[in-house]
């Protein structure tokens, strides 16, 4: 899998030299399960930020195809897309994001937003020192907060969408579960269609610190290692075909917890 | 880490005793069950590396999360719902940009009806109130609470929001039975009188809907009328919010007058958008919308109240005939 090819990247120093000023940029990671409303929320929020004269770019990470670039373009928001093919988009994310950052820095944009939907509910793009937003919707059900890993549990802001199509009680129950899963985060209800609530998010994002580089920054949570023979293209079933990190269901445990093996 | 330091030498079962909700911490973080006799500290120390890797968090981070979890659960509702006496709608602009020159105050115990043609801006006005707008919606309206703008810290709070909405949708999405639903909601509000309220809610909901259902019914299998009835009863008995917004309940297949009476019996401010003359005249006053603005505010007159009792009779007459036809009877003189 190749890296995203981005032309004209310069370093922080070069940019400062070129623009003769110390304007750094803000970088936000937006993540959430597929179809939770990430693009809708980013668009509504970006439009609010644009009103305040910020120049914004979005980089979308996906596997095979996405139409999000068209949605962004339709709303006058510049975006680039990175397709990870057969890699988890969040693994792909981390090996490309510093280049993306440098590209946005050089352009120069004031704000860069990344959108990604980790496939496994275990990966998370959130980076220490960059504001992390998790977008999750009310239709996902009350057990979802449990099933989603660090992308929800380490976010700074959790946005809940699609509240207008559930009852008040369900909305309150869901928000409570989210609060339990991540007591630390600010919870915001945003309607991805009307944009109600997006100006609050834009106010919060505007108050976050600026940075001049991603180099040396660290992921908030490690990504799971997924190096088995099937990662490498194996397609046959059978014990002798399995190599690397393999986990097996333990049939002696009622809950079916898995046991790891290295082959 | 003041909570964690307090509990780290407790046995896990002691902690669960003192902080009952902390069992959810293990569940929601996907942590394995603890042996009863180990201390909290031992529990974290003995977590296998593979579990930490699955979760994507270090031991120290998990301890920090538990500390914060306990803190949050303890303080969640301690600020309490503010004591709200009035809500005031301060006019903004109409759809055509002209000024909406109005200041309309509704007090506790009152019902305000929003009337007007489709597209006149009823739902928009309710959304402004729900948002406790501060000139930051397309209408530029301001909503005052007790005569003042509501502080941002509470305006955007997910837990202490003073406005609840009876939404226009008529279905639940949650995959649980009625009893679990009520319990979950009570839990999320840290409400202690769950058993008593469950009884009240199911009883009232059945009175409102007319199609009986019980606590074991799956939530998603309820008819539109049953679901609406349950939503109304749930708000009446469980909601902590003093302001209730309702958008068009006329087609809900429930006893609308009873529903309104139930909701307004608990010292709430009720604001309801409606085309239904029965509901409109039951209100204390009505705001008439045109072109996205409140055109005028009318206090329900004594004559209108008289008309209301006449309308109620007609409504009951129609309802009786509907029931008869539904039951397969034919109408007699
Ligand atoms: N009813 C309702 N629909 C919403 C809301 N927010 C988003 N949607 C709809 O949900 C669908 C998915 O929204 P997107 O913004 O594309 O979601 P996404 O998370 O970016 O999706 P992927 O990038 O494909 O993972 C779209 O049809 C949106 O119109 C909301 O608040 N309410
Ligand atoms: N004062 C206003 N300024 C701008 N747009 C408005 C205003 N009032 C209503 N609208 C818009 O007009 C449309 C119809 O309003 P809506 O509230 O849905 O009407 P109703 O509920 O009465 O049928 C919506 O898109 C709404 O956002
Ligand atoms: Mg998207
Ligand atoms: Mg409407
Ligand atoms: Zn992944
Ligand atoms: Zn693999």
């Amino acid at each position: 899998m190749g890296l995203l090819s981005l032309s004209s990247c310069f370093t922080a120093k070069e940019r400062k030299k070129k623009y003769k000023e110390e304007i750094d940029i803000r970088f936000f990671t937006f993540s959430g399960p597929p179809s939770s409303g990430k693009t809708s929320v980013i668009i509504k929020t970006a439009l609010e930020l644009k009103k305040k004269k910020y120049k914004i770019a979005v980089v979308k990470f996906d596997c095979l195809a996405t139409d999000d670039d068209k949605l962004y373009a339709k709303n006058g928001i510049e975006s680039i897309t990175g397709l990870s093919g057969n890699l988890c988009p969040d693994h792909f994310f981390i090996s490309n994001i510093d280049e993306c950052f440098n590209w946005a820095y050089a352009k120069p944009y004031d704000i860069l937003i990344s959108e990604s939907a980790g496939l496994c509910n275990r990966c998370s793009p959130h980076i220490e020192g960059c504001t992390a937003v998790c977008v999750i919707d009310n239709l996902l059900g009350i057990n979802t907060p449990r099933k989603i890993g660090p992308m929800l549990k380490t976010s700074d802001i959790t946005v809940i969408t699609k509240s207008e199509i559930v009852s008040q009680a369900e909305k309150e129950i869901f928000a409570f579960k989210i609060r339990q899963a991540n007591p630390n985060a600010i919870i915001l209800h945003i309607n991805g269609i009307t944009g109600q609530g997006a100006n609050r998010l834009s106010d919060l994002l505007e108050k976050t610190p600026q940075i001049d580089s991603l180099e040396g920054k660290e992921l908030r949570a490690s990504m799971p290692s997924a190096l088995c023979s099937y990662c490498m293209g194996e397609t046959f079933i059978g014990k002798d075909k399995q190599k690397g990190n393999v986990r097996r269901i333990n049939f002696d445990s009622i809950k079916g917890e898995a046991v790891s093996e290295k082959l | 880490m003041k909570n964690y330091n307090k509990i780290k030498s407790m046995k896990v079962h002691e902690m669960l005793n003192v902080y009952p909700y902390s069992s959810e911490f293990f569940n929601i973080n996907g942590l394995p069950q603890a042996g009863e006799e180990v201390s909290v500290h031992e529990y974290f120390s003995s977590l296998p590396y593979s579990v930490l890797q699955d979760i994507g968090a270090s031991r120290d981070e998990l301890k920090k999360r538990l500390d914060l979890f306990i803190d949050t659960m303890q303080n969640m509702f301690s600020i309490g719902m503010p004591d709200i006496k009035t809500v005031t709608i301060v006019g903004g602009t109409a759809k055509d940009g002209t000024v909406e020159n109005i200041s309309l105050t509704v007090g506790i115990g009152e019902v305000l009806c929003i009337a007007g043609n489709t597209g006149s801006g009823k739902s928009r006005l309710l959304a402004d109130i729900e948002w406790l707008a501060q000139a930051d919606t397309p209408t530029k309206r301001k909503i005052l609470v007790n005569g003042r703008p509501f502080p941002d810290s509470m305006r955007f709070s997910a837990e202490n929001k003073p406005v609840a909405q009876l939404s226009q949708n008529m279905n639940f999405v949650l995959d649980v039975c009625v009893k679990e639903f009520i319990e979950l909601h009570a839990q999320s509000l840290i409400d202690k009188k769950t058993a008593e309220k469950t009884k009240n809610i199911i009883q009232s909901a059945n009175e409102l809907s007319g199609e009986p259902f019980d606590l074991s019914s799956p939530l998603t299998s309820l008819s539109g009328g049953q679901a609406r009835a349950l939503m109304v009863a749930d708000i009446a008995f469980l909601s902590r919010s003093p302001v209730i917004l309702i958008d068009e309940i006329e087609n809900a297949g429930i006893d609308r007058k009873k529903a309104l009476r139930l909701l307004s019996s608990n010292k709430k401010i009720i604001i309801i958008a409606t085309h239904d003359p029965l509901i409109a005249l039951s209100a204390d006053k009505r705001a008439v919308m045109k072109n996205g603005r409140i055109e005028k505010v009318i206090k329900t007159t004594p004559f209108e109240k008289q008309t209301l009792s006449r309308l109620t009779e007609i409504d009951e007459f129609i309802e009786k005939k509907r029931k008869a036809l539904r039951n397969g009877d034919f109408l007699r003189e």
Side-chain angles (χ1 to χ4, degrees):
Chain A
M1 230 353 84
L3 297 180
L4 281 170
S5 57
L6 301 165
S7 52
S8 78
C9 290
F10 20 170
T11 62
K13 270 196 201 117
E14 283 165 343
R15 167 169 150 146
K16 274 176 194 162
K17 216 153 97 197
K18 180 160 182 205
Y19 296 100
K20 294 197 175 56
E21 49 185 339
E22 305 265 330
I23 303 172
D24 293 334
I25 74 179
R26 293 186 173 86
F27 172 54
F28 311 124
T29 50
F30 275 63
S31 67
S35 295
S36 59
K38 298 177 292 298
T39 305
S40 311
V41 169
I42 292 172
I43 288 174
K44 298 294 182 194
T45 309
L47 292 178
E48 291 293 327
L49 287 165
K50 271 181 114 173
K51 281 189 209 157
K52 300 174 188 173
K53 304 282 175 244
Y54 289 102
K55 284 183 67 191
I56 299 165
V58 178
V59 48
K60 164 76 197 253
F61 290 89
D62 217 319
C63 294
L64 297 176
T66 178
D67 287 327
D68 285 354
D69 49 343
K70 294 187 195 104
L71 287 173
Y72 287 123
K74 214 174 103 193
N75 286 278
I77 296 161
E78 281 167 83
S79 76
I80 48 171
T81 302
L83 293 180
S84 65
N86 57 2
L87 290 186
C88 177
D90 276 326
H91 277 81
F92 179 68
F93 163 92
I94 201 63
S95 26
N96 281 281
I97 194 59
D98 52 339
E99 294 287 307
C100 297
F101 184 92
N102 292 341
W103 165 79
Y105 198 93
K107 268 280 196 177
Y109 288 105
D110 303 311
I111 290 173
L112 176 67
I113 296 176
S114 79
E115 176 188 344
S116 63
L119 286 184
C120 54
N121 276 350
R122 168 60 182 80
C123 286
S124 153
H126 300 325
I127 295 169
E128 217 54 78
C130 303
T131 302
V133 182
C134 178
V135 180
I136 188 163
D137 76 73
N138 268 295
L139 302 182
L140 289 167
I142 47 168
N143 292 319
T144 305
R146 210 183 100 212
K147 291 183 213 150
I148 300 182
M151 88 177 155
L152 169 64
K153 286 165 184 146
T154 70
S155 67
D156 301 306
I157 300 173
T158 308
V159 171
I160 305 179
T161 60
K162 307 184 192 176
S163 299
E164 85 287 5
I165 47 181
V166 298
S167 65
Q168 178 77 28
E170 287 166 302
K171 180 176 157 183
E172 288 173 9
I173 293 169
F174 195 68
F176 182 69
K177 291 283 172 195
I178 297 284
R179 170 68 73 216
Q180 288 187 317
N182 182 351
N184 213 7
I186 296 173
I187 296 178
L188 286 182
H189 286 99
I190 296 183
N191 183 321
I193 293 176
T194 65
Q196 182 115 308
N199 59 357
R200 173 64 178 168
L201 179 57
S202 76
D203 284 350
L204 291 175
L205 293 179
E206 207 185 355
K207 293 197 185 94
T208 58
Q210 294 159 296
I211 52 175
D212 65 4
S213 168
L214 282 181
E215 244 182 76
K217 288 202 189 298
E218 209 184 336
L219 280 172
R220 295 188 183 194
S222 65
M223 303 233 181
S225 54
L227 285 175
C228 69
S229 41
Y230 297 99
C231 301
M232 314 300 286
E234 180 61 71
T235 52
F236 281 100
I237 297 170
K239 265 205 166 156
D240 57 331
K241 299 285 189 281
Q242 300 170 1
K243 296 218 164 51
N245 281 328
V246 178
R247 306 194 85 197
R248 292 188 205 292
I249 294 176
N250 176 4
F251 291 96
D252 297 334
S253 111
I254 319 163
K255 281 183 153 174
E257 291 135 3
V259 182
S260 302
E261 283 176 35
K262 254 206 169 79
L263 298 172
Chain B
M1 297 271 280
K2 105 179 172 295
N3 294 303
Y4 184 74
N5 288 333
K6 227 190 297 177
I7 58 170
K8 68 179 176 196
S9 47
M10 281 186 193
K11 299 257 188 287
V12 169
H13 70 88
E14 287 169 348
M15 174 186 77
L16 294 177
N17 228 346
V18 183
Y19 307 104
Y21 41 76
S22 60
S23 67
E24 184 59 21
F25 175 81
F26 296 90
N27 177 39
I28 211 147
N29 282 296
L31 288 165
Q33 284 286 317
E36 294 269 293
E37 285 309 317
V38 296
S39 74
V40 175
H41 186 69
E42 283 159 0
Y43 173 81
F44 281 115
S45 306
S46 65
L47 278 178
Y49 181 65
S50 63
V51 168
L52 297 175
Q53 244 193 342
D54 285 354
I55 298 170
S58 67
R59 277 177 234 283
D60 281 341
E61 185 171 339
L62 284 176
K63 289 177 194 170
K64 249 187 256 164
R65 270 193 215 168
L66 175 60
D67 182 77
L68 199 64
F69 183 93
I70 291 179
D71 209 53
T72 307
M73 288 303 115
Q74 278 186 315
N75 296 324
M76 200 152 189
F77 296 107
S78 64
I79 322 165
M81 203 47 90
D83 188 18
I84 293 187
K85 298 201 172 62
T86 62
V87 166
T88 304
I89 303 161
V90 180
T93 53
K95 275 193 206 181
D96 55 12
T98 55
V99 178
E100 178 190 40
N101 195 357
I102 197 142
S103 168
L104 168 57
T105 298
V106 200
I108 213 106
E110 274 188 309
V111 179
L112 170 71
C113 159
I114 321 254
N117 291 322
T118 301
S120 61
K122 300 184 294 296
S123 298
R124 183 63 256 172
L125 177 57
L126 290 180
D128 287 344
I129 300 169
E130 206 262 338
W131 186 238
L132 295 165
Q134 290 306 316
D136 53 359
T137 64
T139 68
K140 301 276 178 284
R141 286 193 183 101
K142 285 186 188 159
I143 307 299
L144 308 182
V145 172
N146 297 337
R148 284 186 305 272
F150 208 55
D152 273 4
S153 61
M154 305 187 78
R155 214 182 132 196
F156 301 116
S157 145
E159 280 89 21
N160 290 298
K161 192 145 187 167
V163 185
Q165 186 150 26
L166 185 64
S167 58
Q168 234 167 340
N169 70 302
M170 307 248 295
N171 295 300
F172 287 102
V173 297
L174 216 55
D175 198 10
V176 293
C177 73
V178 173
K179 181 161 187 279
E180 288 168 301
F181 162 73
I182 299 172
E183 283 167 0
L184 275 168
H185 193 201
Q187 240 174 51
S188 75
L189 299 168
I190 324 229
D191 195 302
K192 303 239 157 54
K193 294 189 222 140
T194 312
E196 181 193 328
K197 289 191 177 170
T198 305
K199 240 169 61 198
N200 292 338
I201 290 172
I202 189 75
Q203 190 189 340
S204 297
N206 270 299
E207 281 168 21
L208 292 177
S209 105
E211 312 162 81
F213 63 103
D214 60 46
L215 288 172
S216 63
S217 311
L219 205 54
T220 47
S221 76
L222 300 183
S223 74
Q226 290 170 327
R228 247 319 161 72
L230 182 57
M231 288 178 199
V232 170
D234 169 83
I235 287 191
F237 289 100
L238 270 175
S239 177
R240 308 165 69 240
S241 309
V243 183
I244 310 276
L245 307 177
I246 305 172
D247 205 345
E248 303 193 14
I249 62 171
E250 35 268 45
N251 302 320
I254 59 171
D255 187 328
R256 290 106 72 205
K257 272 183 61 192
K258 248 190 221 160
L260 204 55
R261 215 177 307 129
L262 177 66
L263 288 171
S264 55
S265 59
N266 290 339
K267 286 204 177 161
K268 306 241 180 203
I269 294 175
I270 297 186
I271 302 178
I272 179 166
T274 186
H275 296 293
D276 181 339
L278 270 185
I279 294 176
L281 296 178
S282 307
D284 302 287
K285 47 192 167 190
R286 60 185 183 276
V288 184
M289 306 293 302
K290 235 173 226 157
N291 204 12
R293 93 153 61 85
I294 300 178
E295 186 89 341
K296 51 185 160 185
V297 180
I298 299 171
K299 247 188 108 169
T300 312
T301 66
F303 174 75
E304 286 176 333
K305 287 280 179 199
Q306 274 173 24
T307 313
L308 174 61
S309 50
R310 180 93 184 87
L311 283 173
T312 309
E313 280 165 27
I314 297 170
D315 186 58
E316 277 161 9
F317 180 77
I318 294 175
E319 197 45 45
K320 237 200 216 133
K321 300 300 161 199
R322 177 177 308 162
K323 247 191 205 140
L325 293 177
R326 210 193 272 152
N327 286 337
D329 301 344
F330 56 89
L331 305 183
R332 279 174 272 241
E333 258 180 76

